[in-house]
Amino acid sequence: MSDAPTTAAPLTDFSRLCVHTITTKPWTIEKAAQHFAQAGVKGITVWRDTLAGKNIRQTGQMLLDEGLSIVSLCRGGFFPHLKETGRQAAIDDNRRAIDEAAELGAPHVVLVCGAAVGQPLAESRKQIRDGIAALLPQAEAAGVKLAIEPLHPMYADNRSAVNTLGQANDMAEELNSPFVGVAVDVYHLWWDPTLEQEIYRCGKNGHLLAFHICDWRTPTVDLLNDRGLMGEGCIDLRQIRGWVEATGFSGFNEVEIFSNRLWAGDQHEFLENIKKAYLEHS
Ligand code: ZN
């Protein structure tokens, strides 16, 4: 770990640039695909809301026809519930997500694991682990991996009881399946003093499935929808990407930005700014 370069070299092209459909939320998936491809973006991560009412196989083919790599499907998860009926409904929804990923041609589903107000976080984590375990036979049969994405602790009340990469790594190792790994999102993890060692840990054992980038603004005015464009905040992106790449990770750098401010503007201009920020700050 100490021998690895600590800071990544600047990116010089868009060969590993992926954009999440939610980043340009005002666009339909067709528009996003067309405009991403025209802009030279190479990968797309698809959010499930964009697939509502569509033929998913045909949509996957449309993305490939545009020359895009299908990087991930977002998102499954939300396993913990106080009642068994809620937990079962969550597992059923995750089964649909796995089917959708297989139809779309996405290699993995990103899991926002969930948390239930009214029960201890440890109990929620147990329900998350049991939920993922219940899905594994189907994930294996479909050839779709499940990526546990730890969320910033400000979301520990109701969005995720998995709040550090260490916890996600523990869970992935305990589940011990080639179909379970983790997703590293700088927005959620940049503050963690153990981040370098935990990235090394998941990278070296083959669990590092996805790398999400954006920035943390000061002040952050909305807990969910005020993410920054790379370079607008305090995250040392090149440092973290350096740790990720030192493990041998060669997947996409996925731009995932939820921002009321940026969604309100011209999305073509925003996409050009993403490309600029990708080269200058990522
Ligand atoms: Zn993410």
Side-chain angles (χ1 to χ4, degrees):
M1 190 160 65
S2 55
D3 295 338
T6 55
T7 299
L11 293 157
T12 55
D13 62 49
F14 301 119
S15 58
R16 291 171 56 216
L17 171 59
C18 167
V19 179
H20 283 226
T21 56
I22 198 155
T23 298
T24 55
K25 190 177 167 186
W27 282 343
T28 61
I29 191 165
E30 288 83 6
K31 276 192 178 174
Q34 194 184 353
H35 299 322
F36 289 2
Q38 279 166 359
V41 174
K42 296 300 179 192
I44 186 167
T45 281
V46 175
W47 279 60
R48 290 175 74 196
D49 61 287
T50 66
L51 298 174
K54 294 196 187 293
N55 180 311
I56 295 176
R57 247 175 243 288
Q58 284 174 7
T59 304
Q61 189 57 50
M62 179 273 291
L63 299 175
L64 297 178
D65 290 345
E66 291 286 359
L68 296 166
S69 292
I70 303 165
V71 177
S72 307
L73 182 69
C74 277
R75 62 194 184 200
F78 291 98
F79 296 102
H81 288 273
L82 298 180
K83 292 184 177 163
E84 167 61 25
T85 48
R87 295 194 289 276
Q88 189 55 50
I91 287 171
D92 293 344
D93 183 60
N94 279 278
R95 290 193 191 286
R96 285 191 290 275
I98 291 168
D99 286 343
E100 288 170 19
E103 286 172 30
L104 187 70
H108 58 253
V109 176
V110 175
L111 301 178
V112 170
C113 292
V117 174
Q119 70 185 12
L121 291 172
E123 175 59 24
S124 285
R125 281 193 286 277
K126 180 180 175 301
Q127 292 175 4
I128 292 164
R129 192 196 58 216
D130 292 349
I132 296 172
L135 295 171
L136 276 177
Q138 187 182 342
E140 287 183 28
V144 171
K145 296 187 181 187
L146 304 172
I148 302 167
E149 178 171 25
L151 260 54
H152 191 282
M154 70 179 168
Y155 302 118
D157 57 342
N158 63 358
R159 300 186 82 81
S160 186
V162 179
N163 304 108
T164 66
L165 187 54
Q167 288 173 329
N169 283 339
D170 287 346
M171 198 175 284
E173 287 174 13
E174 191 181 344
L175 286 159
N176 191 25
S177 161
F179 287 88
V180 176
V182 302
V184 169
D185 185 324
V186 299
Y187 193 73
H188 299 300
L189 302 176
W190 68 276
W191 56 272
D192 184 344
T194 69
L195 187 56
E196 180 181 11
Q197 73 199 56
E198 292 297 336
I199 286 174
Y200 180 81
R201 178 179 167 198
C202 61
K204 285 299 174 192
N205 67 13
H207 285 167
L208 178 46
L209 300 181
F211 181 48
H212 298 173
I213 59 173
C214 67
D215 215 334
W216 181 284
R217 282 158 54 79
T218 305
T220 291
V221 299
D222 184 291
L223 294 188
L224 204 54
N225 295 325
D226 190 31
R227 294 188 180 202
L229 185 62
M230 297 80 75
E232 285 186 329
C234 59
I235 301 178
D236 191 340
L237 280 158
R238 287 207 181 133
Q239 173 79 87
I240 299 175
R241 185 165 60 80
W243 295 335
V244 166
E245 290 177 358
T247 71
F249 180 85
S250 59
F252 280 91
N253 300 304
E254 304 180 37
V255 178
E256 183 191 32
I257 302 172
F258 317 146
S259 168
N260 293 328
R261 170 182 60 99
L262 295 166
W263 288 329
D266 178 273
Q267 298 300 288
H268 288 283
E269 202 175 299
F270 178 31
L271 189 55
E272 286 308 310
N273 288 336
I274 287 171
K275 289 166 62 181
K276 193 161 177 280
Y278 182 78
L279 298 180
E280 289 178 5
H281 300 289
S282 299

